[in-house]
Amino acid sequence: MCGRYAASRGPEDLVELFGIEKWEPEDTLAPDWNVAPTKEVLVVLDRPLKDASDPRPVRQLRKLKWGLVPSWAPNPDGAARMINARAETLHEKPSFRRPFAQRRCIIPADGYYEWVTGTDERQLEVEGKRKRPRKQPYFVLPADGSVFAMAGVYEFWRDRTLPDAHPLAWWVTCSVITTEAETAPLGVAPAEGPRSLADIHPRMPLMLTPDRWDAWLDPANTDAGGGLRELLAAPPGGLMRAYPVSTAVSNVRNNGPELLTELEAPEEGTLF
């Protein structure tokens, strides 16, 4: 899954990297090393400009809220539960099938965090002892240090309690698409611990390689039953690395580049 990630690249870097044509300075976000559900995040999308005479799609860098609210939802209360969409069922789930066909995006990240439960703690659970498991966080990122372009979908939701002219009348929200975690060896593995992403967690965000960016973002590509589903294929193996980081990242109030500091070994009391 993807429940937390880091995004430190600024708009200037993303504009150049993704070929952004439209970006508003008010959509700037500070670097965030502990992005959590319901936060505002930067996403890349192709969409015609509002009220423009030219109907062509324009590549934009937009600020959206993480946690998709379906257009038909009576309220946004379930957004925190809609942070992920499974690639295997995206095309058929009522909340995601229309965004998948018409409103796809890329959510740029440095990488994502995932937690592993230590063996000793897990055994206590098995034995029925009510001890909260101590989990070791790992940071997962492209081995070459490039951007982690997470596949996503977005949706519009109208707050009917507000007048049309109100700045919060429309919400634009998004979800990260997840897929089965790689079982192949990591491109760069830690000295001790997991040898593959599947050893950490059975799910992972779907990373789009640059050769898929244009096709994924193209709003004219609406073949949800064929061509689009081909884009949901996992990237080649061996592109990722993972390393243990401080359990400080488990607290969403902690934020800073020190959260990405690689530990020489997992923290005491945890596995991996």
Side-chain angles (χ1 to χ4, degrees):
M1 62 175 297
C2 179
R4 210 80 65 79
Y5 70 92
S8 66
R9 288 177 171 84
E12 294 80 6
D13 292 336
L14 299 176
V15 165
E16 181 178 358
L17 181 63
F18 288 99
I20 301 298
E21 301 173 80
K22 177 69 173 179
W23 164 65
E24 298 295 344
E26 58 264 28
D27 282 341
T28 299
L29 291 174
D32 194 337
W33 289 272
N34 202 352
V35 182
T38 73
K39 277 190 173 183
E40 291 186 315
V41 298
L42 290 178
V43 310
V44 179
L45 56 87
D46 284 7
R47 185 176 179 84
L49 296 177
K50 185 177 180 181
D51 300 326
S53 57
D54 186 352
R56 74 176 182 89
V58 173
R59 184 153 301 177
Q60 305 173 48
L61 186 63
R62 298 277 296 274
K63 184 169 62 177
L64 276 57
K65 186 180 289 289
W66 185 21
L68 189 138
V69 180
S71 60
W72 42 263
N75 58 63
D77 293 347
R81 299 190 301 272
M82 304 284 280
I83 60 171
N84 293 159
R86 294 174 68 94
E88 298 87 345
T89 57
L90 191 64
H91 63 289
E92 59 187 19
K93 293 294 184 181
S95 297
F96 299 119
R97 61 191 178 200
R98 181 173 293 178
F100 175 49
Q102 301 177 359
R103 288 179 283 277
R104 297 175 302 279
C105 63
I106 290 175
I107 304 171
D110 302 328
Y112 70 99
Y113 301 100
E114 195 56 82
W115 283 258
V116 176
T117 302
T119 299
D120 294 342
E121 309 293 345
R122 191 182 298 122
Q123 185 59 36
L124 289 173
E125 287 186 295
V126 172
E127 296 172 0
K129 299 178 181 179
R130 297 182 179 276
K131 179 176 175 62
R132 184 178 181 182
R134 179 172 169 79
K135 298 185 176 183
Q136 172 62 55
Y138 276 77
F139 189 61
V140 182
L141 70 162
D144 63 1
S146 61
V147 66
F148 195 125
M150 299 189 294
V153 291
Y154 68 98
E155 184 58 286
F156 294 90
W157 180 78
R158 175 70 166 87
D159 186 344
R160 300 297 177 185
T161 66
L162 299 175
D164 290 342
H166 195 285
L168 299 180
W170 284 96
W171 290 37
V172 192
T173 58
C174 62
S175 286
V176 174
I177 297 173
T178 66
T179 188
E180 290 187 358
E182 295 178 1
T183 57
L186 286 161
V188 178
E192 58 178 284
R195 314 317 294 172
S196 72
L197 293 181
D199 288 341
I200 301 174
H201 194 279
R203 306 289 297 178
M204 64 175 288
L206 176 63
M207 185 179 79
L208 295 171
T209 49
D211 59 300
R212 298 184 185 182
W213 292 354
D214 289 345
W216 178 255
L217 294 174
D218 185 1
N221 189 358
T222 59
D223 182 14
L228 284 177
R229 293 179 66 180
E230 294 177 2
L231 297 174
L232 296 173
L239 298 181
M240 311 301 293
R241 68 172 298 217
Y243 60 81
V245 294
S246 169
T247 52
V249 74
S250 301
N251 187 332
V252 297
R253 289 174 293 185
N254 294 328
N255 205 319
E258 68 277 2
L259 296 179
L260 301 188
T261 300
E262 181 173 358
L263 302 182
E264 292 184 2
E267 293 186 354
E268 185 177 354
T270 64
L271 175 68
F272 291 156

